[in-house]
């Protein structure tokens, strides 16, 4: 992309209506634009980041054998009446009438619709388990939408649903998602901790919220610090290995405030290991057995001739919320610099020629570098404007492009001035730069 042609509407100053860093930055660099309260348009920069996050989320769903579908945003009220949630959901649900006066709604979640799809096609235990997911817009008429896309009304969510024959198999499915969430957040360069959580309007009695630490988070969390040293390395997709993984995490106290119990916390966690702080909920998984399959009559034939309701779980990731959450986690408050993790950066590298009035050599050289990197599948932006070097650097730092190639005095012959945000400048050939960037991406 040529910066002179790019639609990146940067604001001169931080917008006063934004209270937290991610909201300020997203508006400031033109990632999003509010269209009405809690509803946003995604502009090129924001959309690119969200799509990169979506791809990582999708890959990790596919890696545990989940199959992608796409359900509509608009649903009929009928199935919600069957489950009993049409009334329970209250004002958070946006209710609409069509021209035939039929009651419709903009889906806040999809347990009913997926159960309806399942019950109409799957009749035998032999077709189980089924893990299905989609990545689709949701609408919740939040009482207090705030912090930009962090708590908004229309948001992009990955929601998956599992169908199993009994509790044992259902826990296996639950644990597969538990693993895939740990892997997803790690790939996104985030440390997300699974915490015992309340189930709210989704229901059920087994549930984990995946929370990343951030002072601006809305969830208060109470943990044993040692949980931060764990990871999912070495886990395999077998019942035993995944059960061990979940137990490994569950041995440490980690809860959100709805589940907090002072006595338990003080009994289980030594004072030096206690951590009370705030976090952002980026994912939430639930096991609720037959809460939906029973009222919606989603059953399968068992081997002995009997029938039973399938056991279900649901598994959400806030794909659009993650864009803001990554900013909250990665923004360097001290130097006031954003540096996107390479895997989700709006651009991986910026090519910056120093352009003087009568000399276009640096620009020509920069275009060659740009063309080369594009051919190597590197996501690159070239600043071909005639602004001076310091304002060019300011701009890429504001946007958070993690690497820069500067074509000025310090780039001579084949050796180019190459810089990672916050680190020392080095001189490297274009081939070495491309190789280095590929290696950095593969490492994760
Ligand atoms: N059906 C279940 C799981 S698929 C469900 O809806 N879970 S949820 O309510 O916990 O939402 C899943 C994720 O969506 C949350 O963890 C959060 O990251 C994101 N999310 C929820 N509400 C909002 C909102 N108002 N704005 C932005 N993201 C949200």
């Amino acid at each position: 992309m040529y910066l002179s042609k790019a639609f990146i509407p940067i604001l001169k100053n931080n917008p006063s209506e934004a209270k937290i860093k991610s909201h300020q930055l997203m508006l400031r660099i033109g990632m999003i634009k509010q269209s009405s309260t809690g509803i946003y348009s995604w502009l090129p920069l924001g959309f690119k980041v969200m799509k990169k996050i979506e791809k990582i989320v999708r890959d990790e769903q596919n890696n545990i054998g989940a199959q992608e579908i796409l359900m509509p945003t608009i649903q009929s009220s009928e199935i919600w009446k069957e489950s009993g949630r049409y009334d329970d959901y209250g004002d958070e649900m946006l209710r609409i009438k069509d021209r035939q006066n039929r009651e419709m709604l903009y889906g806040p979640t999809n347990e009913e619709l997926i159960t309806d799809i399942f019950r109409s096609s799957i009749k035998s235990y032999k077709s189980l388990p089924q893990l299905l997911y989609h990545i689709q817009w949701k609408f919740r008429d939040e009482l207090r939408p705030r912090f930009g896309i962090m708590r908004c009304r229309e948001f992009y969510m990955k929601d998956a649903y599992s169908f199993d024959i009994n509790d044992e198999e259902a826990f296996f499915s639950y644990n597969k998602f538990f693993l895939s969430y740990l892997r997803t957040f790690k790939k996104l360069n985030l440390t997300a901790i699974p915490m015992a959580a309340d189930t709210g309007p989704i229901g059920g009695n087994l549930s984990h919220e995946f929370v990343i630490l951030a002072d601006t988070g809305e969830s208060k969390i109470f943990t044993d610090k040692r949980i931060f040293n764990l990871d999912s390395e070495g886990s395999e997709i077998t019942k035993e290995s995944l059960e061990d993984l979940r137990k490994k995490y569950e041995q440490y106290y980690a809860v959100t405030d709805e589940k907090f119990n002072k006595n338990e916390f003080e009994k289980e966690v030594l004072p030096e290991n206690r951590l009370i702080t705030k976090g952002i909920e980026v994912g939430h998984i639930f096991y609720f057995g037959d809460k939906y399959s029973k009222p919606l009559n989603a059953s399968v034939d068992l081997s002995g001739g009997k029938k039973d309701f399938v056991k279900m779980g649901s598994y959400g990731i806030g794909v659009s919320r993650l864009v803001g959450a990554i900013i909250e986690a990665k923004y360097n408050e001290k130097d006031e610099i954003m540096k996107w993790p390479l895997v989700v950066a709006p651009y991986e590298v910026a090519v910056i020629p120093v352009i003087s009035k009568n000399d276009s050599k640096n620009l020509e050289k920069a275009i060659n570098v740009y063309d080369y990197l594009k051919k190597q599948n590197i996501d690159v932006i070239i600043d071909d404007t005639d602004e001076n070097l310091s304002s060019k650097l300011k701009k890429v730092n504001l946007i958070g492009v993690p690497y820069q190639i500067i074509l000025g005095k310090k780039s001579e012959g084949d050796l180019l001035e190459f810089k990672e945000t916050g680190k020392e400048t080095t001189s490297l050939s274009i081939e070495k730069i491309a190789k280095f960037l590929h290696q950095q991406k593969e490492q994760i």
Side-chain angles (χ1 to χ4, degrees):
M1 174 56 70
Y2 279 63
L3 188 62
S4 64
K5 307 271 186 313
F7 187 80
I8 306 178
I10 291 183
L11 306 175
K12 274 221 163 62
N13 298 306
N14 274 331
S16 58
E17 73 267 30
K19 300 278 176 284
I20 63 171
K21 195 65 237 172
S22 58
H23 191 194
Q24 286 166 0
L25 191 75
M26 290 182 79
L27 292 172
R28 174 92 189 267
I29 64 177
M31 295 177 77
I32 51 169
K33 183 176 183 318
Q34 183 172 322
S35 86
S36 57
T37 306
I39 302 180
Y40 291 84
S41 296
W42 289 77
L43 307 184
L45 222 51
F47 194 59
K48 281 192 82 181
V49 174
M50 187 162 72
K51 285 284 149 181
K52 288 186 181 185
I53 295 172
E54 180 185 350
K55 184 179 179 309
I56 291 173
V57 170
R58 172 178 290 116
D59 288 348
E60 289 304 322
Q61 294 295 292
N62 295 341
N63 281 345
I64 54 160
Q67 302 161 75
E68 187 167 13
I69 62 171
L70 184 60
M71 291 177 269
T73 52
I74 306 289
Q75 303 179 22
S76 155
S77 62
E78 296 301 317
I79 43 176
W80 287 75
K81 286 178 182 160
E82 278 187 62
S83 74
R85 275 208 295 184
Y86 193 58
D87 293 328
D88 292 355
Y89 223 95
D91 289 341
E92 245 189 43
M93 181 187 278
L94 181 65
R95 296 153 205 261
I96 315 161
K97 282 210 173 124
D98 71 7
R99 65 167 79 201
Q100 262 92 34
N101 220 22
R102 278 187 296 240
E103 290 172 317
M104 313 291 284
L105 56 101
Y106 193 128
T109 175
N110 285 58
E111 281 79 8
E112 284 78 358
L113 192 51
I114 193 83
T115 308
D116 181 49
I117 292 170
F118 178 91
R119 71 178 171 185
S120 64
S121 319
I122 303 281
K123 304 289 178 202
S124 161
Y125 76 97
K126 288 183 191 153
S127 307
L128 300 182
Q130 287 293 334
L131 311 181
L132 300 168
Y133 74 99
H134 77 160
I135 306 176
Q136 177 64 292
W137 294 94
K138 306 287 184 293
F139 193 95
R140 293 182 187 171
D141 203 351
E142 296 273 351
L143 189 58
R144 286 210 298 151
R146 57 193 175 139
F147 304 149
I149 49 84
M150 294 284 247
R151 177 164 299 281
C152 50
R153 297 201 295 165
E154 192 182 37
F155 58 97
Y156 202 42
M157 190 207 283
K158 184 286 297 177
D159 40 327
Y161 302 86
S162 63
F163 300 86
D164 282 283
I165 182 91
N166 56 32
D167 275 346
E168 187 191 329
E169 295 299 321
F171 290 142
F172 185 28
S173 292
Y174 185 93
N175 292 343
K176 285 181 196 168
F177 283 99
F178 189 93
L179 170 71
S180 88
Y181 277 35
L182 290 173
R183 286 180 174 166
T184 303
F185 297 123
K186 188 171 177 200
K187 267 198 179 168
L188 290 170
N189 228 282
L190 296 171
T191 309
I193 301 297
M195 306 202 170
D198 226 23
T199 55
I202 308 293
N205 43 27
L206 171 62
S207 168
H208 287 89
E209 258 179 37
F210 286 75
V211 178
I212 63 165
L213 298 190
D215 294 337
T216 47
E218 290 189 282
S219 314
K220 198 161 185 208
I221 56 178
F222 303 82
T223 65
D224 184 322
K225 270 186 214 158
R226 290 172 296 174
I227 200 166
F228 288 90
N229 301 329
L230 303 178
D231 71 21
S232 63
E233 217 54 52
S235 299
E236 288 165 33
I237 304 188
T238 61
K239 273 187 193 159
E240 295 71 29
S241 176
L242 292 183
E243 202 54 47
D244 287 348
L245 176 69
R246 188 144 72 83
K247 276 197 198 125
K248 188 167 87 175
Y249 274 89
E250 284 177 342
Q251 70 178 306
Y252 295 120
Y253 195 90
V255 303
T256 57
D257 47 358
E258 302 102 350
K259 287 253 167 183
F260 178 64
N261 175 309
K262 195 165 179 277
N263 289 339
E264 267 172 24
F265 186 53
E266 286 173 0
K267 206 170 94 196
E268 284 181 38
V269 190
L270 290 172
E272 65 265 30
N273 292 332
R274 288 179 201 156
L275 178 68
I276 302 176
T277 183
K278 283 183 180 166
I280 301 168
E281 179 201 324
V282 286
H284 201 158
I285 61 179
F286 304 82
Y287 177 60
F288 42 71
D290 59 10
K291 177 173 181 216
Y292 299 91
S293 56
K294 202 168 177 180
L296 284 158
N297 199 18
S299 59
V300 289
D301 297 327
L302 306 177
S303 57
K306 282 191 183 157
K307 271 177 177 291
D308 201 4
F309 299 114
V310 281
K311 304 286 188 287
M312 292 174 59
S314 76
Y315 314 88
I317 290 184
V319 177
S320 51
R321 176 179 285 185
L322 270 166
V323 181
I326 291 173
I327 298 175
E328 293 299 328
K330 301 293 170 193
Y331 188 80
N332 178 334
E333 206 70 56
K334 199 171 121 254
D335 303 327
E336 295 189 21
I337 281 189
M338 177 60 198
K339 183 178 164 196
W340 290 98
L342 193 57
V343 284
V344 297
Y347 291 99
E348 291 161 357
V349 57
V351 178
I352 306 173
V354 180
I355 304 176
S356 54
K357 272 211 177 83
N358 309 313
D359 188 359
S360 59
K361 261 199 229 99
N362 283 336
L363 178 60
E364 284 158 25
K365 217 170 156 186
I367 291 173
N368 286 336
V369 168
Y370 170 81
D371 288 341
Y372 178 86
L373 293 174
K374 267 193 85 88
K375 277 201 200 106
Q376 298 286 317
N377 276 327
I378 286 167
D379 198 356
V380 51
I381 186 161
I382 178 170
D383 188 345
D384 58 327
T385 65
D386 50 17
E387 284 184 41
N388 64 35
L389 180 61
S390 96
S391 47
K392 284 183 174 183
L393 288 172
K394 243 192 187 155
K395 196 174 278 179
V396 292
N397 281 328
L398 185 65
I399 294 174
V401 183
Y403 294 96
Q404 293 106 44
I405 299 171
I406 301 157
L407 291 137
K409 271 195 223 120
K410 289 192 204 151
S411 287
E412 272 184 65
D414 287 344
L415 289 180
L416 310 177
E417 183 183 352
F418 179 62
K419 190 175 181 327
E420 177 177 350
T421 304
K423 300 221 167 124
E424 291 298 306
T425 303
T426 52
S427 284
L428 285 177
S429 68
I430 186 62
E431 293 82 9
K432 286 229 169 93
I433 293 175
K435 199 168 159 203
F436 171 80
L437 291 173
H438 281 306
Q439 277 168 352
Q440 293 299 305
K441 275 199 284 185
E442 275 156 24
Q443 253 178 31
I444 303 159

